[in-house]
Amino acid sequence: MKQMKKKYLLANRRQDRTFVPLEKVPVYLQSELIPHAKYYTDIDENGIILDQQLVFREFQIYYHLIHLSEDTGLTTVLSDKDYVPASLNGLQEYNPAFPLKLKLPAEEKLVNLFPEREFVMHFHVNFDSIYLHEMIKRNPLFQVLNPKAAIDSNETQEFTPPRHPYRATLVNYLLMQRIINCKLVGEIAEHYLHRKAYEYFLTYLHYLETPAPIMLHESYIAKLNEIAHYIIQNPVAAHSKETLCRKFDVVPEFLDEPFRATFYITVEELIHQERMDQLFRLLTEQQHTLTYVANRTGFANYKAMKLAFQQHYQCLFDFFLNLQ
């Protein structure tokens, strides 16, 4: 029996910290690069792996693109025991609504023979458990990681995830796309990506806390998706659970556990998250007056908008504007 060849995810390999400069990444992969990430490549006749790594204080973002030959297997390297990983993996999940595969053009010299390659996406955000008690004070939802050690102890925390799989949903898939497609640079990018990593990991905490999803009728699932899409596209008009109940003619209980079990987020959290993302985009992508931005995002005035922005992105608003 022929032995299976192996490749591994470079950015996870503890003994290999050698990353490649931007100019060494093949041109056909550069459209998928996150600015200021560390890049790792493994390209030979057995396949192609592009790993990207962004490290923040509490979180590590990893984005892997994988294309292997038929006789090559992937050896994943587990994260350090101090890290809690929240992963979406195209090797384990197939959902046409949330594709975890993409096609990229092949090497220019070989384009006639191999016009494009299909890459599998493997994305995860790791949380460093050394910050667990600090994060519990910021957001009690982190208690789901079940800290057993005293607050002043350095003991590694452990938890047992539920049996149902953490899968791609409309919300965590959207957050992943915002991270991997972010082309911002400098400190603006750092504040934005750190917040998105935090929001993504919160969906994982909701998943850990939520029982296995209840079986809903297809019409109910369609209604929940309609409501979630509406919130994402119109976060200011969505306003509140009560507003959504009136607009979509549903009872409040429908937007409690069924919504949270479906999207790993509460209605209130999604409204706020999307409203603040809209605020960020208006400030960074186009030239608008601050009065216009405040009106578009539903704030009574500049002062209220500034306070909300600083609390959400952990960034001084005036400093942020100076970077524009």
Side-chain angles (χ1 to χ4, degrees), residues 5-181:
K5 300 173 185 176
K6 292 183 179 180
K7 278 184 176 288
Y8 58 88
L9 301 181
L10 292 89
N12 274 8
R13 194 179 184 194
R14 292 297 167 261
Q15 63 268 34
D16 186 352
R17 293 294 187 181
T18 304
F19 55 94
V20 300
L22 173 63
E23 58 270 18
K24 294 293 185 179
V25 178
V27 173
Y28 60 90
L29 293 173
Q30 291 192 8
S31 63
E32 299 303 312
L33 297 182
I34 305 173
H36 294 309
K38 290 184 177 180
Y39 311 127
Y40 304 78
T41 58
D42 180 9
I43 303 173
D44 57 26
E45 68 277 5
N46 298 323
I48 302 169
I49 293 180
L50 168 66
D51 294 344
Q52 301 185 66
Q53 179 191 56
L54 286 163
V55 178
F56 299 106
R57 183 169 176 266
E58 309 95 339
F59 301 106
Q60 296 178 337
I61 296 173
Y62 291 99
Y63 176 37
H64 313 285
L65 287 177
I66 306 160
H67 173 84
L68 303 178
S69 63
E70 292 184 0
D71 59 346
T72 302
L74 182 70
T75 300
T76 57
V77 180
L78 298 177
S79 59
D80 289 340
K81 62 182 180 181
D82 296 334
Y83 288 90
V84 181
S87 175
L88 295 179
N89 190 345
L91 296 171
Q92 300 173 350
E93 177 178 358
Y94 173 74
N95 185 341
F98 309 113
L100 291 170
K101 296 181 180 180
L102 74 160
K103 292 186 177 181
L104 296 175
E107 180 68 46
E108 185 176 356
K109 296 178 182 178
L110 303 176
V111 69
N112 293 328
L113 295 175
F114 306 102
E116 61 183 8
R117 290 190 178 97
E118 185 175 66
F119 285 79
V120 176
M121 302 165 63
H122 181 191
F123 175 86
H124 53 116
V125 173
N126 292 352
F127 169 68
D128 188 344
S129 65
I130 195 172
Y131 297 104
L132 180 55
H133 291 288
E134 178 182 325
M135 294 300 286
I136 288 174
K137 295 176 183 177
R138 177 180 174 185
N139 188 331
L141 185 58
F142 277 81
Q143 289 178 343
V144 73
L145 296 182
N146 194 25
K148 298 180 175 64
I151 292 179
D152 59 351
S153 171
N154 291 324
E155 179 183 337
T156 300
Q157 310 300 333
E158 296 181 358
F159 67 98
T160 303
R163 294 180 181 177
H164 63 283
Y166 178 71
R167 68 193 194 287
T169 72
L170 177 62
V171 175
N172 62 10
Y173 188 80
L174 175 64
L175 290 169
M176 179 194 74
Q177 290 293 329
R178 285 175 176 167
I179 290 172
I180 65 179
N181 293 322

Side-chain angles (χ1 to χ4, degrees), residues 167 169-172 203 206-207 210-211 213-214 216 220-232 238 240-241 244-245 248 250-274:
R167 68 193 194 287
T169 72
L170 177 62
V171 175
N172 62 10
T203 67
H206 277 295
Y207 150 75
T210 304
I214 56 179
L216 295 174
Y220 292 163
I221 296 175
K223 177 66 74 172
L224 286 169
N225 276 289
E226 182 184 3
I227 294 171
H229 276 288
Y230 178 78
I231 294 171
I232 291 169
S240 66
K241 183 190 297 183
L244 293 170
C245 287
F248 291 95
V250 296
V251 296
E253 292 76 12
F254 186 68
L255 296 181
D256 287 330
E257 196 57 33
F259 190 95
R260 183 168 176 258
T262 301
F263 302 112
Y264 305 144
I265 194 172
T266 68
V267 166
E268 294 85 357
E269 287 172 334
L270 184 58
I271 292 172
H272 179 70
Q273 174 180 295
E274 294 307 302

Side-chain angles (χ1 to χ4, degrees), residues 187-304:
E187 293 187 60
I188 295 178
E190 290 181 12
H191 287 291
Y192 183 77
L193 290 170
H194 181 267
R195 179 67 203 190
K196 294 302 135 183
Y198 174 73
E199 291 171 353
Y200 175 91
F201 198 80
L202 287 181
T203 67
Y204 184 67
L205 296 181
H206 277 295
Y207 150 75
L208 292 177
E209 192 177 54
T210 304
I214 56 179
M215 298 300 293
L216 295 174
H217 191 275
E218 288 185 5
S219 62
Y220 292 163
I221 296 175
K223 177 66 74 172
L224 286 169
N225 276 289
E226 182 184 3
I227 294 171
H229 276 288
Y230 178 78
I231 294 171
I232 291 169
Q233 296 167 4
N234 308 278
V236 177
H239 189 265
S240 66
K241 183 190 297 183
E242 293 72 21
T243 301
L244 293 170
C245 287
R246 290 193 296 269
K247 179 175 179 60
F248 291 95
D249 192 25
V250 296
V251 296
E253 292 76 12
F254 186 68
L255 296 181
D256 287 330
E257 196 57 33
F259 190 95
R260 183 168 176 258
T262 301
F263 302 112
Y264 305 144
I265 194 172
T266 68
V267 166
E268 294 85 357
E269 287 172 334
L270 184 58
I271 292 172
H272 179 70
Q273 174 180 295
E274 294 307 302
R275 184 186 181 197
M276 298 308 297
D277 193 80
Q278 182 186 56
L279 171 57
F280 196 99
R281 284 185 282 110
L282 285 172
L283 290 170
T284 57
E285 296 178 0
Q286 303 177 29
Q287 294 295 324
H288 296 300
T289 66
L290 295 179
T291 300
Y292 173 84
V293 174
N295 289 335
R296 278 289 307 275
T297 50
F299 291 99
N301 51 52
Y302 165 77
K303 184 178 179 181

